[in-house]
C-alpha cells in the first residue's frame, strides 16, 4: 500500500503540472529559456485586445474611414486604459501581485520577471492570451534630476530661406518646394525619435526640440503627473532617466533628428520639416520599454514615431511588436522605420525573406528603402519580401509573394550634409555615413509636412498617400527592391491638403 502511494508520488512530483501546462500559450523562445533558467522576464498578454491579429487592423482602418486622428487618439487611449485596468488585476492576482510588474496599455499586457512555475500558472488562466519572452527586466522607478542642459522655450522668427543652403537630397524630394509654395514647414507636428537621444544643444536642433511644457526640469517632481519626474524633452526608459542628450561619438539620433528637422540655424537646412518638433525617447532593452515609448508618444502628443533600428530573429515576439505598432497606429501614430542594411551586397548580408526585420517588416510601419543619387538601390539595402505565415495570431503574407516591402525610398547617404557630432555645424560633405537609418527620417520628414498641412489624416492614409505619390524608379509597380519609389514631398503634401 505504502509502496504504491510512493510510486504515485514519484510520478506526480516529476511531472507536476505537465498535463495542465498549456505550452501552446508560451512562446518557443520563452520555453527555450525556461529549459535552462528557473525564471525569466516575460510579457503576459491579456485576452482582451482592441485588435485580434489577422486582418483586424485592416478592418479597423476601413471602419474608421473619415474619422479624425485627434478623435481616434482620445477615444482609443481611454479604451486601451480601461481594458488594461479591468483585466490586469485578475492577471496580477494569479502571480501574487509582484511589486516589479509593469502594467502596459498600448497592448493589454503585464511585464514581469517570473519563476517557471508562476509562468505555467499564468499560462493556464483564461485571462491570459499568450506569454512572450522579454529581453530583460525593465529598470526601476525614476528619481528625476540629471537634465544637464536645459533649454528655454524659443522665440521663432518667420521662416526664411535667405542666406541658407539647401542640400540636394532635400531638393530632390521637393521639400523646399513645399516650404516655398505652400508655406508649410512642419509647424504643429511632433516627431518622436525612438533612438539614441540627440545633441539638442546643436544650434540646428535647439529651437525644434519638443518641450514638455507642464514639466519643470530637475526639481525631482513629476509636475505633469505622467508618472515620470523631470521628463522635459522626452525620456530615457532604458535607464529610467530624464536625460536624453547624446554625447560623445554616439550621435546616431542627432543625425536622424537633423534629417527630419535640422532648421538651418547654422547655415544649411538639413531637415525636410525644419519647423517640426522632436521628442527624444531612448527605449532599448525590455519590450516593456517599447510599450512605454509608444504610450509616452501617444499621451504627450507625438504625431509620428521615427524608428531607425532593426531587431533580428524575434520569433513569435514579432507578433507582440506588431500588435503594439498596430494599436499605436489605430490611435493615430504614424510609424516609420528604415528598411535596414542587410542586403546581399553589404557588410552584414542576410538571406531573403529575413532582410527586413522588426519594426520595418510590420505591415502598418512605413519601411523606407534606400536609393543613391543615381536612383539605384545600393547593395547594402535590405530587400523584401517579408513573411508572417509562422507568426501566431497573424499567419498572413505567405511566401513566395509575402508582404511587399520596402514601402517607399529615401536617401541613405552618403553625400548630403548631416549635423556634426561636435555640437557645431555639419559633416559636409559627408563621404562616409550611410544606411537606411537615414532613409527613414526622409519619410518621417515628408509625413511631418503632410500632417502640418492636414493634421487629421489617419496613419494608414498617410502611408497610402506617401506610396501613391512616390516617383517610381523601376517599372512594374511596388516591388521588393525600391517599394513604390522615391518619396515626393510636394505631391504627398498636395494630396494631403486635398484630403479632408
Ligand atoms: Ca506633459
Ligand atoms: Ca512628468
Ligand atoms: Ca519636474
Amino acid at each position: 500500500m505504502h509502496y504504491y502511494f510512493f510510486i504515485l508520488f514519484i510520478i506526480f512530483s516529476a511531472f507536476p503540472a505537465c498535463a495542465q501546462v498549456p505550452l501552446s500559450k508560451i512562446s518557443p523562445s520563452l520555453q527555450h529559456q525556461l529549459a535552462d533558467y528557473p525564471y525569466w522576464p516575460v510579457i503576459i498578454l491579456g485576452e482582451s485586445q482592441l485588435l485580434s491579429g489577422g486582418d483586424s487592423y485592416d478592418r479597423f482602418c476601413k471602419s474608421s474611414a473619415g474619422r479624425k486622428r485627434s478623435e481616434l487618439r482620445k477615444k482609443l487611449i481611454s479604451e486601451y486604459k480601461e481594458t488594461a485596468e479591468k483585466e490586469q488585476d485578475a492577471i496580477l492576482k494569479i502571480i501574487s501581485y509582484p511589486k516589479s510588474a509593469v502594467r502596459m496599455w498600448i497592448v493589454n499586457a503585464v511585464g514581469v520577471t517570473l519563476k517557471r512555475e508562476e509562468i505555467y500558472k499564468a499560462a493556464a488562466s483564461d485571462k491570459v492570451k499568450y506569454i512572450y519572452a522579454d529581453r530583460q527586466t525593465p529598470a526601476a522607478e525614476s528619481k528625476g534630476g540629471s537634465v544637464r542642459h536645459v533649454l528655454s522655450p524659443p522665440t521663432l522668427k518667420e521662416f526664411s530661406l535667405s542666406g541658407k543652403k539647401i542640400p540636394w537630397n532635400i531638393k530632390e524630394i521637393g521639400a523646399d518646394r513645399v516650404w516655398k509654395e505652400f508655406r508649410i514647414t512642419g509647424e504643429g507636428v511632433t516627431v518622436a525619435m525612438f533612438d539614441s537621444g540627440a545633441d539638442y544643444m546643436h544650434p540646428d536642433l535647439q529651437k525644434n526640440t519638443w518641450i514638455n511644457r507642464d514639466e519643470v526640469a530637475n526639481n525631482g517632481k513629476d509636475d505633469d503627473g505622467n508618472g515620470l519626474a523631470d521628463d522635459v524633452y522626452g525620456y530615457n526608459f532604458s535607464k529610467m532617466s530624464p536625460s536624453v542628450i547624446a554625447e560623445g561619438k554616439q550621435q546616431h539620433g542627432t543625425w536622424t533628428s537633423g534629417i527630419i528637422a535640422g532648421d538651418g540655424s547654422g547655415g544649411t537646412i538639413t531637415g525636410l520639416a525644419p519647423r517640426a518638433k522632436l521628442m527624444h525617447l531612448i527605449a532599448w532593452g525590455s519590450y516593456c520599454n517599447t510599450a512605454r515609448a509608444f504610450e509616452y508618444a501617444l499621451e504627450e502628443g507625438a504625431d509620428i514615431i521615427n524608428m531607425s533600428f532593426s531587431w533580428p530573429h524575434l520569433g513569435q515576439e514579432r507578433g507582440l511588436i506588431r500588435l503594439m505598432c498596430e494599436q499605436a497606429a489605430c490611435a493615430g501614430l504614424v510609424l516609420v522605420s528604415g528598411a535596414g542594411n542587410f542586403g546581399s551586397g553589404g557588410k552584414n548580408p542576410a538571406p531573403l525573406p529575413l532582410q527586413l526585420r522588426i519594426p520595418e517588416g510590420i505591415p502598418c510601419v512605413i519601411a523606407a528603402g534606400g536609393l543613391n543619387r543615381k536612383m539605384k538601390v545600393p547593395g547594402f539595402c535590405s530587400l523584401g519580401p517579408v513573411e508572417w505565415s509562422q507568426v501566431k495570431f497573424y499567419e498572413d503574407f505567405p511566401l513566395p509573394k509575402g508582404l511587399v516591402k520596402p514601402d517607399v525610398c529615401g536617401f541613405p547617404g552618403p553625400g548630403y550634409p548631416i549635423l556634426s557630432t561636435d555640437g557645431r555645424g555639419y559633416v559636409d560633405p559627408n563621404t562616409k555615413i550611410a544606411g537606411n537609418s537615414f532613409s527613414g527620417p526622409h519619410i518621417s520628414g515628408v509625413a511631418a509636412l503632410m500632417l502640418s498641412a492636414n493634421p487629421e489624416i489617419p496613419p494608414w492614409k498617410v502611408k497610402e498617400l506617401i506610396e501613391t505619390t512616390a516617383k517610381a524608379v523601376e517599372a512594374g509597380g511596388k516591388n521588393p527592391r525600391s517599394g513604390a519609389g522615391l518619396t515626393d514631398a510636394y505631391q504627398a503634401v498636395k494630396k494631403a491638403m486635398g484630403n479632408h
Side-chain angles (χ1 to χ4, degrees):
M1 192 70 175
H2 283 294
Y3 180 73
Y4 175 67
F5 272 110
F6 182 70
I7 297 283
L8 270 185
F9 177 76
I10 297 273
I11 291 169
F12 280 103
S13 55
F15 305 97
C18 273
Q20 288 84 27
V21 175
L23 290 177
S24 62
K25 281 166 75 177
I26 300 175
S27 87
S29 33
L30 180 55
Q31 291 182 42
H32 181 78
Q33 301 298 352
L34 292 179
D36 292 335
Y37 300 97
Y39 53 85
W40 197 259
V42 298
I43 304 278
I44 305 176
L45 190 70
E47 187 54 44
S48 313
Q49 308 289 338
L50 172 78
L51 301 178
S52 53
D55 64 348
S56 57
Y57 174 72
D58 291 334
R59 281 187 279 119
F60 178 90
C61 299
K62 270 194 201 109
S63 69
S64 304
R67 307 253 330 248
K68 289 184 173 168
R69 204 166 57 88
S70 60
E71 279 172 16
L72 286 168
R73 171 85 46 114
K74 211 168 150 223
K75 181 172 178 278
L76 287 187
I77 288 179
S78 93
E79 277 183 26
Y80 290 152
K81 286 186 170 178
E82 204 176 300
T83 306
E85 188 99 346
K86 260 196 233 156
E87 201 165 273
Q88 289 175 14
D89 280 331
I91 293 173
L92 289 169
K93 193 178 171 189
I94 305 165
I95 53 173
S96 323
Y97 303 101
K99 270 203 193 116
S100 58
V102 176
R103 299 178 70 139
M104 292 163 238
W105 53 260
I106 186 60
V107 288
N108 169 25
V110 171
V112 63
T113 297
L114 287 180
K115 285 190 188 139
R116 196 187 287 137
E117 297 70 35
E118 291 173 306
I119 293 168
Y120 292 162
K121 216 159 83 181
S125 163
D126 61 0
K127 298 281 184 220
V128 172
K129 188 169 185 181
Y130 202 69
I131 307 184
Y132 294 102
D134 201 348
R135 303 178 135 190
Q136 65 181 56
T137 303
E141 288 296 292
S142 128
K143 292 170 210 70
S146 82
V147 178
R148 284 201 286 122
H149 301 278
V150 178
L151 298 163
S152 16
T155 28
L156 291 176
K157 289 191 212 128
E158 200 180 332
F159 183 77
S160 161
L161 293 174
S162 113
K164 306 286 187 201
K165 281 191 213 156
I166 303 171
W168 65 265
N169 57 319
I170 304 280
K171 286 187 198 156
E172 193 72 57
I173 286 170
D176 57 327
R177 224 181 134 191
V178 173
W179 313 334
K180 284 181 239 169
E181 289 187 32
F182 301 140
R183 310 203 68 75
I184 284 166
T185 50
E187 210 163 338
V189 175
T190 300
V191 184
M193 303 301 295
F194 188 149
D195 211 303
S196 62
D199 178 10
Y200 56 75
M201 295 304 285
H202 192 290
D204 290 40
L205 294 179
Q206 276 193 28
K207 292 195 278 295
N208 51 33
T209 297
W210 172 82
I211 298 179
N212 187 6
R213 296 287 175 133
D214 38 9
E215 181 64 57
V216 180
N218 293 333
N219 66 354
K221 290 186 189 136
D222 175 21
D223 303 286
D224 66 346
N226 65 358
L228 304 168
D230 300 344
D231 54 314
V232 277
Y233 312 124
Y235 207 71
N236 181 342
F237 293 98
S238 304
K239 292 189 174 161
M240 288 310 261
S241 152
S243 174
V244 293
I245 196 148
E247 282 164 307
K249 294 228 150 119
Q250 300 304 313
Q251 297 291 338
H252 188 272
T254 304
W255 296 327
T256 52
S257 291
I259 294 167
I260 297 173
D263 70 359
S265 289
T268 302
I269 306 180
T270 60
L272 280 92
R275 283 284 161 98
K277 298 282 185 194
L278 303 170
M279 170 194 286
H280 300 291
L281 303 173
I282 304 171
W284 310 118
S286 164
Y287 298 135
C288 291
N289 291 343
T290 316
R292 285 161 155 169
F294 286 160
E295 290 170 3
Y296 190 96
L298 285 169
E299 280 206 296
E300 294 293 343
D303 303 285
I304 298 159
I305 189 161
N306 187 80
M307 302 185 282
S308 286
F309 58 85
S310 197
W311 290 335
H313 314 306
L314 297 201
Q316 288 302 324
E317 283 67 17
R318 293 171 76 205
L320 172 66
I321 309 299
R322 179 163 166 186
L323 184 61
M324 284 188 195
C325 286
E326 288 181 343
Q327 297 204 152
C330 290
L333 193 62
V334 176
L335 303 118
V336 181
S337 180
N341 310 318
F342 308 101
S344 55
K347 283 185 201 145
N348 301 297
L352 291 171
L354 302 174
Q355 293 185 4
L356 279 100
R357 300 164 171 189
I358 297 296
E360 63 271 16
I362 293 170
C364 70
V365 174
I366 308 173
L371 290 169
N372 62 21
R373 208 173 168 175
K374 292 175 183 152
M375 299 301 144
K376 296 275 183 264
V377 179
F380 66 78
C381 288
S382 293
L383 306 182
V386 176
E387 67 101 22
W388 284 89
S389 59
Q390 307 296 316
V391 178
K392 214 168 157 72
F393 311 123
Y394 291 100
E395 287 147 14
D396 49 2
F397 303 110
L399 295 174
K401 185 168 181 268
L403 171 64
V404 177
K405 289 252 176 186
D407 297 300
V408 66
C409 286
F411 291 120
Y416 49 80
I418 52 173
L419 302 190
S420 78
T421 56
D422 59 3
R424 283 169 292 150
Y426 310 95
V427 180
D428 180 14
N430 158 39
T431 53
K432 284 192 194 129
I433 300 159
N436 280 316
S437 276
F438 310 123
S439 303
H442 284 85
I443 307 307
S444 291
V446 170
L449 293 171
M450 292 166 76
L451 291 179
S452 183
N454 187 354
E456 295 290 8
I457 37 178
W460 49 93
K461 197 78 201 172
V462 171
K463 182 172 187 286
E464 182 194 309
L465 293 180
I466 285 178
E467 290 180 31
T468 53
T469 56
K471 276 185 255 174
V473 292
E474 288 170 75
K478 189 175 174 183
N479 63 76
R481 292 175 46 77
S482 57
L486 180 68
T487 189
D488 183 334
Y490 182 80
Q491 291 303 334
V493 171
K494 203 171 150 192
K495 275 275 159 56
M497 291 168 102
N499 220 280
H500 287 287

